[in-house]
Amino acid sequence: MGATRIVLLGAPGAGKGTQAARIIEALDIPHISTGDMLRAAVAAGTEIGLKAKAVMDAGQLVSDEIVIGIARERLSEPDASKGFVLDGFPRTLDQAAALDGILEEIGSPVECCLAITVETEEVVQRLLKRAELEGRADDNEETIRERMRVYDAQTAPLLEYYGEKGMVKEVLGMGSIDSVSVSLMSALEAA
Ligand code: B4P
């Protein structure tokens, strides 16, 4: 019947958050976005938010310790037992190893890594457009390019990590949001 424990991988602006919203609606599973949780912590002025803000604004990754902590807490909530879309987590090899450990404890390993691929100039343009619409602090050109560099150095190696486990389904993220959704859903059904 297709995978329901899903890691969504992709560069900033590849469409992770956008497509996660479609997938969770179709499969009725929770959307777990560490980016959204961190922005909520910043907005609420919590201790984690205060630590994360400057790092996020600079386009760098928040520490593994903090992010693994919030992911662990969220994954232990009852609704995660029916599956989940992890959006933006893991972002480093250490986070991926920690995730495996957390899910081993729960007895529910990752089933599929959906990787959305998009050309760099396309994502830069998307994020600059979002900057105009939403004014997110990390959506300016310099920070966007830094986020791309961080993605290539720290997150792209996860393709190999999940690839070795035979879990990666690559989907081209160019084209309309609807057409990308169709490709992702059929990749999931085949997983
Ligand atoms: P995220 O919130 O994950 O931000 P993101 O990578 O920019 O992706 P997002 O999901 O928001 O955008 P999407 O591609 O859907 O992370 C933000 C920051 O939080 C990180 O830089 C880091 O500092 C920190 N963080 C988060 N998780 C972390 C972790 N695990 N470890 C350490 N630090 C962490 O969409 C982008 C835009 O494109 C949207 O406006 C959308 O409408 C548009 N779009 C999408 N698909 C499109 C399409 N097909 N055509 C045209 N436009 C499209």
Side-chain angles (χ1 to χ4, degrees):
M1 69 154 246
T4 55
R5 294 191 296 274
I6 303 155
V7 165
L8 203 50
L9 208 60
K16 298 184 302 290
T18 308
Q19 296 298 337
R22 305 281 184 104
I23 298 170
I24 58 148
E25 200 181 314
L27 301 183
D28 190 27
I29 51 178
H31 178 192
I32 302 184
S33 160
T34 42
D36 286 351
M37 289 191 276
L38 289 168
R39 278 185 291 279
V42 171
T46 64
E47 199 184 326
I48 285 178
L50 293 174
K51 281 188 191 154
K53 185 174 184 339
V55 182
M56 293 172 79
D57 287 353
Q60 301 295 326
L61 295 182
V62 174
S63 75
D64 284 343
E65 191 193 347
I66 288 180
V67 179
I68 290 165
I70 60 175
R72 177 190 297 279
E73 216 170 282
R74 181 64 187 87
L75 282 163
S76 68
E77 286 176 30
D79 63 344
S81 64
K82 59 181 174 178
F84 45 77
V85 176
L86 279 169
D87 161 10
F89 180 87
R91 252 179 166 95
T92 64
L93 287 168
D94 283 347
Q95 290 179 20
L99 174 64
D100 283 348
I102 294 167
L103 295 179
E104 201 175 315
E105 282 167 27
I106 305 171
S108 310
V110 171
E111 293 173 309
C112 178
C113 171
L114 276 181
I116 310 180
T117 57
V118 186
E119 288 160 18
T120 302
E121 284 319 305
E122 164 81 13
V123 290
V124 172
Q125 293 315 314
R126 284 183 190 178
L127 295 174
L128 289 174
K129 191 169 161 203
R130 182 169 70 184
E132 277 173 30
L133 299 172
E134 297 175 20
R136 224 172 88 173
D138 58 349
D139 281 345
N140 60 77
E141 184 151 3
E142 194 187 327
T143 308
I144 291 167
R145 296 218 183 261
E146 179 58 20
R147 283 155 63 200
M148 298 297 171
R149 277 191 290 275
V150 169
Y151 175 81
D152 286 340
Q154 304 203 47
T155 309
L158 294 181
L159 281 172
E160 206 177 312
Y161 181 86
Y162 288 111
E164 280 168 4
K165 298 173 189 275
M167 285 183 188
V168 175
K169 299 270 179 197
E170 278 200 56
V171 171
L172 187 62
M174 308 289 283
S176 72
I177 291 173
D178 283 347
S179 68
V180 177
S181 294
V182 170
S183 309
L184 285 170
M185 290 311 298
S186 52
L188 272 180
E189 272 155 31

